[in-house]
Amino acid sequence: MTRAEVEKEQPLNPKTTKFEFGGCLGALFLSLFLPVFTVFINLQLTPDAKFSTDPLYYLNPCRSSEVWIPYLCWFGVLAVFDIILPGKTMFGTLLRDDTKLKYKINGISNSFLLILILGLRWQITEGAMPELVFLYEHHIELNIISILFAFYLATYCYLKSFVYFGKEPILALGGNAGNVIYDWFIGRELNPRIGCFDIKLFCELRPGMLLWLLINLSCLHHNYVVVNQFNSVNDALLLINILQGFYIFDGVLNEEGLLTMMDIATDGFGFMLSFGDLTFVPFTFCLQARFLSVNANDLGQNKVIFITSLMTLGYYIFHSANKQKSDFKQGKLPNLKSIQTQRGTKLLCDSWWGMSQHINYMGDWLISLSWCLTTWFVTPLTYHYSVYFAILLLHRQKRDEEKCSEKYGDDWVTYQKKVPYKIIPYIY
């Protein structure tokens, strides 16, 4: 019996037997620690931020409607745009029931509309931009609201996975342990949807990523309009807005690339992804901009060139490597060396992918380092993102190695001999 035939005989939703993050206790710890950490580190970088210290204020939407209503409107309007704006239809990866989900890819129209709205608001308000002022002044409160919303959304998706009519939903292989806390954290259902609206893909690229962009712009606006009265702007703050803005729009405009990535293809949607998408991304990736909005740090021409060059190098490695793998899978690069596996697929081990198993991770990490360097070495707190990202990439590499070892067996052993380095050539 072939490996493919054995897989066919397995149940659609097998029980999870391998636990990550230390199991239930680890999931509980991270669910409590990470939300507190995001608020704490933002307060350390902007200690003068004003916010209510009464927990009941945030739990009662009637009392905190000033921040709850704008946040819910932001999420809801983006969801409507995601559904109604034009785009192309693409299919995701093959699922365990031999089906593929349809996805509407409309990052271009969403990005164009956002830029148009921002431009019009700048003209209409003559640069006052009350929306950006609101974001800047209510930063900590919105951070807390996003945590609560991520909790509610994860809980909804967990409960939804038990209620279905007709066809049984496909569950994530890692989130079907039968433990409420662990499955809620990891994500029980693989692709939670409301009709054709895919919750996971939407949260990956819309409310969190675009809020990160707006938070950065609010910091730039505060420095240029409020602090310097339209006269000058901190070059480091301008640079971080340009570098991260480019990265954000690049991700949104190329969202089809997400369809084959781990987050969409294999991970369930639980608190881990909900919190990561809606809170961790917008409210910790913006730390450099938040710090620079209140701490002048003029880099000068040489540092600006160095930082920009570092990001350009990382971006080139990341995108050229990913494009090469995508082209190879589509049969466009037949001359590249590869290993024919017993599953009938090929493992690329040439060019970029002959240097390391995850050469794209190295490029992505160089990008993260370039952002942190915009604050130079004034404070270690703004290097949180690069440190966190290194840990995340190492964890993903370990997860991917385990899955590939089970999936390819002896062929994976052969592959590792040909490509021994995990991420950084000749180092790791």
Side-chain angles (χ1 to χ4, degrees):
M1 184 179 291
T2 67
R3 186 184 297 269
E5 290 172 334
V6 170
E7 291 177 351
K8 287 282 187 181
E9 292 189 353
Q10 293 180 347
L12 178 65
N13 293 313
K15 279 288 184 180
T16 299
T17 55
K18 292 184 178 180
F19 296 86
E20 299 184 73
F21 305 106
C24 176
L25 290 178
L28 181 61
F29 170 77
L30 290 174
S31 299
L32 297 173
F33 170 75
L34 288 177
V36 174
F37 173 77
T38 60
V39 177
F40 171 78
I41 196 169
N42 273 282
L43 284 174
Q44 295 306 302
L45 291 174
T46 50
D48 59 338
K50 297 177 182 179
F51 70 105
S52 174
T53 57
D54 179 11
L56 295 178
Y57 169 77
Y58 303 100
L59 292 171
N60 185 349
C62 294
R63 291 181 59 193
S64 53
S65 59
E66 182 183 10
V67 282
W68 263 113
I69 290 177
Y71 187 83
L72 292 176
C73 286
W74 167 253
F75 191 93
V77 168
L78 285 180
V80 171
F81 285 167
D82 195 64
I83 294 172
I84 67 173
L85 289 180
K88 60 182 178 181
T89 299
M90 295 189 68
F91 289 90
T93 57
L94 186 67
L95 301 175
R96 294 195 300 275
D97 62 353
D98 291 328
T99 64
K100 292 183 178 182
L101 291 176
K102 279 185 179 181
Y103 292 90
K104 188 177 184 180
I105 306 301
N106 57 4
I108 294 176
S109 54
N110 269 278
S111 300
F112 177 79
L113 182 60
L114 179 62
I115 293 171
L116 179 62
I117 292 172
L118 287 172
L120 288 174
R121 290 298 297 163
W122 176 268
Q123 291 293 327
I124 293 171
T125 64
E126 297 181 343
M129 298 292 283
E131 301 88 353
L132 296 184
V133 174
F134 175 86
L135 265 182
Y136 190 86
E137 293 180 348
H138 294 271
H139 181 82
I140 300 297
E141 292 181 330
L142 288 168
N143 185 355
I144 296 171
I145 292 298
S146 74
I147 294 169
L148 291 173
F149 187 81
F151 175 87
Y152 297 146
L153 184 61
T155 303
Y156 165 78
C157 289
Y158 175 77
L159 296 175
K160 176 183 175 296
S161 68
F162 292 97
V163 181
Y164 57 91
F165 302 96
K167 184 180 178 183
E168 180 183 3
I170 298 177
L171 306 182
L173 292 177
N176 189 26
N179 181 285
V180 175
I181 294 176
Y182 185 78
D183 291 349
W184 169 82
F185 176 78
I186 293 294
R188 190 168 185 269
E189 188 172 353
L190 182 61
N191 303 106
R193 290 187 162 201
I194 301 174
C196 63
F197 178 69
D198 191 279
I199 297 174
K200 185 163 62 170
L201 183 63
F202 171 73
C203 288
E204 281 278 330
L205 285 176
R206 296 292 187 269
M209 287 279 281
L210 295 180
L211 183 57
W212 170 24
L213 173 74
L214 293 186
I215 291 173
N216 279 3
L217 289 175
S218 76
C219 295
L220 183 64
H221 180 269
H222 177 79
N223 182 262
Y224 178 58
V225 177
V226 179
V227 176
N228 295 320
Q229 299 294 308
F230 294 93
N231 291 319
S232 62
V233 66
N234 183 331
D235 68 349
L237 181 54
L238 179 61
L239 180 62
I240 191 64
N241 267 267
I242 293 172
L243 297 183
Q244 291 188 340
F246 173 81
Y247 183 88
I248 291 167
F249 279 119
D250 180 69
V252 174
L253 294 175
N254 295 286
E255 62 184 316
E256 61 267 22
L258 267 180
L259 300 184
T260 58
M261 292 181 67
M262 186 179 295
D263 287 0
I264 300 298
T266 63
D267 289 346
F269 187 79
F271 185 70
M272 180 179 69
L273 279 183
S274 179
F275 171 80
D277 292 340
L278 303 180
T279 300
F280 205 77
V281 168
F283 290 99
T284 65
F285 290 15
C286 70
L287 290 177
Q288 294 81 25
R290 285 290 292 181
F291 175 77
L292 292 169
S293 69
V294 293
N295 296 274
N297 181 36
D298 291 319
L299 293 170
Q301 183 178 347
N302 291 337
K303 290 178 183 177
V304 168
I305 292 174
F306 171 72
I307 293 169
T308 305
S309 299
L310 184 63
M311 175 160 171
T312 302
L313 174 63
Y315 180 83
Y316 171 71
I317 294 173
F318 178 76
H319 274 270
S320 58
N322 282 340
K323 185 178 186 305
Q324 188 177 77
K325 175 171 279 192
S326 176
D327 289 345
F328 177 78
K329 287 181 177 179
Q330 297 175 43
K332 297 179 181 178
L333 301 171
N335 295 327
L336 292 183
K337 297 176 183 177
S338 62
I339 297 172
Q340 182 69 50
T341 69
Q342 296 177 17
R343 295 175 58 90
T345 56
K346 295 180 180 181
L347 292 171
L348 180 60
C349 56
D350 197 4
S351 192
W352 281 117
W353 300 96
M355 296 181 183
S356 78
Q357 297 169 17
H358 295 281
I359 190 69
N360 55 332
Y361 287 4
M362 187 182 82
D364 220 359
W365 186 79
L366 290 177
I367 293 173
S368 76
L369 181 60
S370 71
W371 298 345
C372 298
L373 284 170
T374 57
T375 63
W376 212 236
F377 301 110
V378 179
T379 173
L381 291 178
T382 53
Y383 282 79
H384 149 266
Y385 174 66
S386 196
V387 174
Y388 147 77
F389 202 49
I391 296 171
L392 174 68
L393 293 176
L394 287 170
H395 178 253
R396 285 192 172 187
Q397 177 265 313
K398 293 292 185 183
R399 289 176 68 193
D400 187 61
E401 187 170 358
E402 290 178 3
K403 290 179 180 179
C404 288
S405 180
E406 293 179 3
K407 186 176 181 180
Y408 295 109
D410 293 338
D411 294 323
W412 185 251
V413 176
T414 304
Y415 170 77
Q416 288 185 308
K417 290 179 180 178
K418 287 186 173 293
V419 188
Y421 298 103
K422 310 296 185 184
I423 299 176
I424 306 174
Y426 306 106
I427 296 178
Y428 173 73

